[in-house]
C-alpha cells in the first residue's frame, strides 16, 4: 500500500517544527554546545586512547578529559579576566594622580624624531603645563579606552561562563559519544543516502584540522610570547600573553601586542630590550604561525584568508567569546562540504587521502 504524499509532507512539517522548537529552547546555550561539540570531535581520538587505558571506564575517562579542559582554558581565562579589572582600575587611578600632580613629562627620545620631534615635544610641554587642557584631553581619550577595556573584560567573563558550560556539556558528549555517533550516522543515512559517511568524515576532519590549527597555534604563540615578555621585563605578562592568544586568531594580530611591548620598552629607555622584543616577536612569536600551524593542520580545510577573518569577527558578534573558534570552524565545514559536492576538494585533504590510500 502506497503512502499518500500528504502524509509525507505532514511528517516533514512536524520534524521541521520540532527542530525549530528545540533550537529555540537551546538558543541561549547554543554557543557552548557548538564549542563543546568542536572540542569533543577534535579530542575524540585522545579520549578513545584514554578510555582504552582505563579499561572502558567511560565516566572516569570523560571526567578526566573535562578536568583537563578546565585546567587548560577555564582557569587561566578566569584568572586573566579577574586581574584585568584590577589592572585597568589601578592604571586609571595612577594616571589621574600623575595628571593632577603634573608628574608627566615628554619622553627624551621624542626630540630625536626627524622633522616632527621638536614640534611634538613643544606641544606636549604646553599641554602638560595647562591642567585644564590636559584633563579635557584625557577625558576625551580615556573614557572611550575605558569603555572598550570594560567591554573586553565583560567579553572575557562571558567567555569563562560559556567555556564552563561547554566543559559541562563536553563531559556528556565524551561519556555518551558512541551512542550519539550511532544516532547521527543513522539519521544522516536516512536524510542524505549513500554520501552520508563521506560527509561525516569530511566534517570530522575539517573540525579537527581547524581546531588544531587555531588552538594549537594560539597556545604556542602565547607561550613563546610569555617567555619573551618575562625575559624583557615587560609588566602584565599573563594579560599580554592572553592578548597574544586571542589576537593570534586574527591574521597579523600578535605583532600589535608584542610591537606595543617593544614601544613601551623603548619609551622607558630600554633600547636594547626593545630591539630584543622586536627580534623575538618577528622570529619566534610570529614565526610559530608559519611552523606550528601547518604541522597541526594535518587533515582539514585550508580556509582562505577572507573566510578566516570573517569567521573570527562574525563568530564573536554571533556567539561571543567562543565564537572566535566556532565561526572559523563552521565556515571551514561549509567550505569543505561545498568543495566536496562541487568536486573541487581542498588539495591538503586530497593529498592526505591519497597518501593514506598509498600506505594501505
Amino acid at each position: 500500500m502506497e503512502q499518500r504524499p500528504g502524509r509525507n509532507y505532514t511528517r516533514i512539517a512536524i520534524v521541521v517544527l520540532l527542530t525549530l522548537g528545540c533550537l529555540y529552547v537551546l538558543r541561549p546555550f547554543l554557543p557552548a554546545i557548538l564549542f563543546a561539540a568542536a572540542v569533543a570531535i577534535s579530542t575524540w581520538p585522545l579520549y578513545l586512547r584514554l578510555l582504552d587505558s582505563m579499561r572502558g571506564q567511560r565516566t572516569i575517562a570523560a571526567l578526566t578529559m573535562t578536568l583537563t579542559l578546565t585546567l587548560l582554558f577555564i582557569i587561566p581565562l578566569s584568572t586573566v579576566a579577574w586581574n584585568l579589572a584590577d589592572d585597568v582600575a589601578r592604571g586609571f587611578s595612577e594616571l589621574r594622580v600623575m595628571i593632577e600632580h603634573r608628574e608627566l613629562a615628554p619622553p627624551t627620545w621624542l626630540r630625536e624624531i626627524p622633522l616632527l620631534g621638536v614640534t611634538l615635544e613643544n606641544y606636549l610641554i604646553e599641554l602638560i603645563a595647562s591642567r585644564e587642557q590636559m584633563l579635557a584631553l584625557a577625558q576625551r581619550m580615556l573614557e572611550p579606552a575605558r569603555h572598550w577595556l570594560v567591554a573586553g573584560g565583560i567579553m572575557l567573563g562571558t567567555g569563562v561562563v560559556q567555556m564552563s558550560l561547554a566543559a559541562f556539556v563536553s563531559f556528556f558528549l565524551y561519556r555518551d559519544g558512541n551512542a550519539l555517533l550511532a544516532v547521527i550516522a543513522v539519521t544522516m543515512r536516512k536524510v542524505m543516502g549513500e554520501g552520508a559517511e563521506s560527509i561525516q568524515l569530511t566534517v570530522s576532519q575539517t573540525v579537527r584540522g581547524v581546531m588544531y590549527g587555531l588552538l594549537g597555534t594560539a597556545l604556542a604563540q602565547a607561550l613563546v610570547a610569555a617567555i619573551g615578555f618575562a625575559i624583557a621585563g615587560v609588566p602584565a605578562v599573563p594579560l599580554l600573553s592572553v592578548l597574544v592568544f586571542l589576537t593570534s586568531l586574527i591574521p597579523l594580530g600578535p605583532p600589535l601586542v608584542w610591537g606595543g611591548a617593544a614601544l613601551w620598552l623603548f619609551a622607558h629607555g630600554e633600547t636594547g630590550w626593545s630591539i630584543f622584543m622586536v627580534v623575538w616577536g618577528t622570529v619566534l612569536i610570529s614565526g610559530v604561525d608559519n611552523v606550528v600551524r601547518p604541522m597541526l593542520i594535518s587533515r582539514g580545510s585550508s580556509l582562505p584568508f577572507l573566510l578566516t577573518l570573517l569567521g573570527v569577527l562574525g563568530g564573536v558578534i554571533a556567539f561571543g567569546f567562543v565564537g572566535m573558534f566556532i565561526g572559523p570552524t563552521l565556515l571551514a565545514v561549509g567550505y569543505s562540504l561545498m568543495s566536496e559536492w562541487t568536486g573541487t576538494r581542498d588539495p591538503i585533504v586530497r593529498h592526505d587521502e591519497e597518501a593514506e590510500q598509498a600506505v594501505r
Side-chain angles (χ1 to χ4, degrees), residues 110-120:
L110 188 62
R111 176 179 289 271
E112 300 177 1
I113 298 178
L115 300 179
L116 300 177
V118 177
T119 304
L120 290 175

Side-chain angles (χ1 to χ4, degrees), residues 168-180:
F168 177 76
V169 173
S170 66
F171 169 79
F172 296 96
L173 293 180
Y174 287 126
R175 193 191 65 177
D176 305 322
N178 289 325
L180 291 174

Side-chain angles (χ1 to χ4, degrees), residues 194-210:
E194 298 179 356
E197 294 183 359
S198 176
I199 292 174
Q200 187 175 358
L201 180 61
T202 300
V203 171
S204 62
Q205 289 178 351
T206 304
V207 170
R208 288 171 186 168
V210 174

Side-chain angles (χ1 to χ4, degrees), residues 340-356:
E340 174 87 14
W341 292 333
T342 58
T344 56
R345 293 292 306 280
D346 192 325
I348 295 179
V349 178
R350 186 169 61 248
H351 178 270
D352 289 336
E353 290 183 349
E354 292 175 354
E356 184 177 353

